[in-house]
């Protein structure tokens, strides 16, 4: 069975439209005979994706069998060298959580929204990470700032620049995505970020070529003298938000699907109404990806616990 098929056994797609998609962690019977979300299996799949997320193609596409464990622990270690992930790990592992109005927005990175977005793009939209930002962290222990995902689809020659949010309140998550849309999708931000991305592509040119990707195509697309209209025509913008909801209390009833879809449509309508004020709104190819969940805290705590265990197995301090 391919990994994509395994993913679809855990993440169920409930809405699949041109510009709106929604997935949720599916349910199964637990040891007590109760229906519960398959969080542990989802976390297991996410953990196996850590090397791709953290390292991308920057250390090569193929990993020798004897190196698999080393690469996995190295990837986990690279994540926790970034202070946001370490601070958030300690918060969740000590029973706490981040509030939606947390003052330090940078801490949001440590809730793994970027990882879940990476995972969904790779297995549902057939993209590949062009730049793995964890790999290119700076000397102060911060990940490279900018878009939350920099992926490509080699079949359509499109660049996927994504933003991600994990909130308890879905409406607040949507509003935060809108803030990113206005802050990141403008000429000045494009100019600075595309310069950085182009340099990273050159750093890993040989590995990209080995994977069948032509790095020069992307460097030319991001060139400062390439028309903005041409760039926007080749850019897809996945706007991802995972949030808590009580709709799953009706999972095993006839009302579940109707209420689920109504909730997703309402959040999408909120996004559409607010993004219509963006000066480029008619030129932006946006895909809204919504992932409702029962408990954000439970998911993020389980994921940090798993990765911290990998750190210990690899010889790093907890």
């Amino acid at each position: 069975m391919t990994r994509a098929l395994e993913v679809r056994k855990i993440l169920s797609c409930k809405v699949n439209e041109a510009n709106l998609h929604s997935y949720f962690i599916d349910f199964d019977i637990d040891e007590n005979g109760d229906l519960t979300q398959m969080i542990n299996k989802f976390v297991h799949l996410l953990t196996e994706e850590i090397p791709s997320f953290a390292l991308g193609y920057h250390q090569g596409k193929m990993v020798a069998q004897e190196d698999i464990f080393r690469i996995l622990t190295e990837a986990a270690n690279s994540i926790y060298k970034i202070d946001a992930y370490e601070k958030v790990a300690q918060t969740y592992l000590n029973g706490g959580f981040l509030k939606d109005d947390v003052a330090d927005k940078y801490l949001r990175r440590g809730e793994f929204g970027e990882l879940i977005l990476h995972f969904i793009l790779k297995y549902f939209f057939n993209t590949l990470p062009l730049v793995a930002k964890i790999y290119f962290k700076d000397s102060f222990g911060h990940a490279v700032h900018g878009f939350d995902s920099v992926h490509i689809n080699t079949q359509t020659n499109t660049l996927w620049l994504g933003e991600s949010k994990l909130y308890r309140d879905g409406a607040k998550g949507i509003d935060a995505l809108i803030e990113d849309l206005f802050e990141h999708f403008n000429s000045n931000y494009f100019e600075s970020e595309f310069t950085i991305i182009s340099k990273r592509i050159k750093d890993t040119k040989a590995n990209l070529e080995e994977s069948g990707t032509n790095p020069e195509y992307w460097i030319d697309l991001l060139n400062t003298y390439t028309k903005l209209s041409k760039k926007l025509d080749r850019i897809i913008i996945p706007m991802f938000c995972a949030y808590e909801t009580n709709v799953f209390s009706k999972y095993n009833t006839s009302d579940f699907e109707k209420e689920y879809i109504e909730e997703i449509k309402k959040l999408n309508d909120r996004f559409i109404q607010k993004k219509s004020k963006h000066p480029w709104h008619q030129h932006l190819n946006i895909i809204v990806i919504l992932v409702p969940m029962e408990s954000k805290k439970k998911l993020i705590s389980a994921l940090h616990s798993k990765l911290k265990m990998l750190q210990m197995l690899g010889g790093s301090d907890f």
Side-chain angles (χ1 to χ4, degrees):
M1 183 183 297
T2 66
R3 175 46 53 92
L5 288 176
E6 290 176 340
V7 169
R8 283 165 172 77
K9 287 181 176 295
I10 304 300
L11 272 187
S12 179
C13 180
K14 186 58 66 175
V15 178
N16 185 20
E17 300 177 359
N19 298 100
L20 175 63
H21 298 261
S22 181
Y23 311 90
F24 70 92
I25 304 169
D26 216 333
F27 287 72
D28 199 4
I29 301 170
D30 65 15
E31 62 272 15
N32 298 316
D34 299 321
L35 276 177
T36 185
Q37 280 195 310
M38 295 185 283
I39 288 179
N40 289 336
K41 289 184 178 180
F42 182 53
V43 166
H44 186 81
L45 288 173
L46 287 175
T47 302
E48 292 181 338
E49 197 60 33
I50 288 295
S52 173
F53 168 67
L55 306 176
Y57 285 111
H58 305 295
Q59 291 196 349
K61 183 179 180 181
M62 301 302 295
V63 177
Q65 190 173 21
E66 62 272 18
D67 291 333
I68 291 175
F69 178 76
R70 177 184 61 80
I71 293 296
L72 187 56
T73 55
E74 178 185 331
N77 285 332
S78 70
I79 286 175
Y80 286 116
K81 287 179 181 177
I82 297 171
D83 58 356
Y85 285 95
E86 183 59 43
K87 289 177 181 177
V88 172
Q90 297 309 318
T91 297
Y92 276 91
L93 295 176
N94 288 320
F97 61 89
L98 293 191
K99 296 180 179 180
D100 285 347
D101 58 354
V102 59
D104 187 354
K105 300 296 184 183
Y106 177 68
L107 289 177
R108 290 272 174 216
R109 187 181 303 275
E111 292 190 308
F112 290 109
E114 293 176 337
L115 170 60
I116 301 173
L117 172 58
H118 162 96
F119 183 82
I120 289 175
L121 292 181
K122 183 174 178 179
Y123 292 109
F124 287 95
F125 296 91
N126 301 312
T127 69
L128 301 169
L130 181 64
V131 172
K133 297 197 306 176
I134 301 296
Y135 183 82
F136 290 112
K137 61 184 177 298
D138 65 30
S139 60
F140 297 101
H142 295 291
V144 176
H145 295 287
F147 303 106
D148 288 345
S149 69
V150 182
H151 280 217
I152 56 174
N153 184 309
T154 56
Q155 296 175 332
T156 59
N157 279 338
T158 47
L159 177 66
W160 293 59
L161 303 177
E163 302 291 349
S164 65
K165 302 297 173 190
L166 264 74
Y167 273 67
R168 300 186 73 187
D169 185 308
K172 290 182 179 179
I174 291 295
D175 293 349
L177 283 177
I178 291 295
E179 288 182 16
D180 282 351
L181 188 68
F182 278 84
E183 289 178 8
H184 296 175
F185 290 85
N186 58 71
S187 297
N188 289 336
Y189 196 86
F190 269 24
E191 188 73 24
S192 61
E193 282 302 303
F194 288 172
T195 299
I196 294 171
I197 293 171
S198 294
K199 289 180 180 178
R200 301 315 184 196
I201 294 172
K202 292 173 184 176
D203 289 340
T204 188
K205 200 170 182 180
N207 289 337
L208 287 169
E209 289 173 342
E210 186 180 340
S211 72
T213 299
N214 178 11
E216 293 300 332
Y217 171 83
W218 306 106
I219 293 172
D220 179 67
L221 178 66
L222 301 178
N223 188 284
T224 188
Y225 296 107
T226 299
K227 288 183 178 180
L228 176 61
S229 58
K230 181 178 180 180
K231 291 175 181 175
L232 291 178
D233 187 54
R234 308 310 302 168
I235 291 173
I236 308 296
I237 307 165
M239 304 294 278
F240 164 85
C241 179
Y243 66 95
E244 285 190 5
T245 177
N246 61 10
V247 73
F248 293 113
S249 64
K250 299 186 178 181
Y251 175 77
N252 215 18
T253 73
S254 59
D255 294 329
F256 171 67
E257 184 164 340
K258 176 177 177 291
E259 294 193 14
Y260 182 107
I261 293 174
E262 284 178 351
E263 182 174 284
I264 295 300
K265 297 287 188 181
K266 183 177 179 180
L267 288 172
N268 187 52
D269 288 345
R270 184 184 185 94
F271 181 87
I272 291 173
Q273 187 273 326
K274 289 177 177 287
K275 74 103 173 176
S276 66
K277 298 176 182 178
H278 193 289
W280 294 354
H281 76 96
Q282 292 183 324
H283 306 283
L284 300 177
N285 299 311
I286 296 176
I287 296 175
V288 176
I289 303 172
L290 300 176
V291 178
M293 63 183 74
E294 274 193 316
S295 172
K296 168 188 160 184
K297 180 179 178 180
K298 187 174 180 181
L299 173 62
I300 304 307
S301 297
L303 189 50
H304 275 297
S305 294
K306 193 88 166 181
L307 292 187
K308 281 297 183 180
M309 188 180 301
L310 277 176
Q311 265 199 315
M312 289 190 292
L313 289 174
S316 294
D317 294 333
F318 188 88

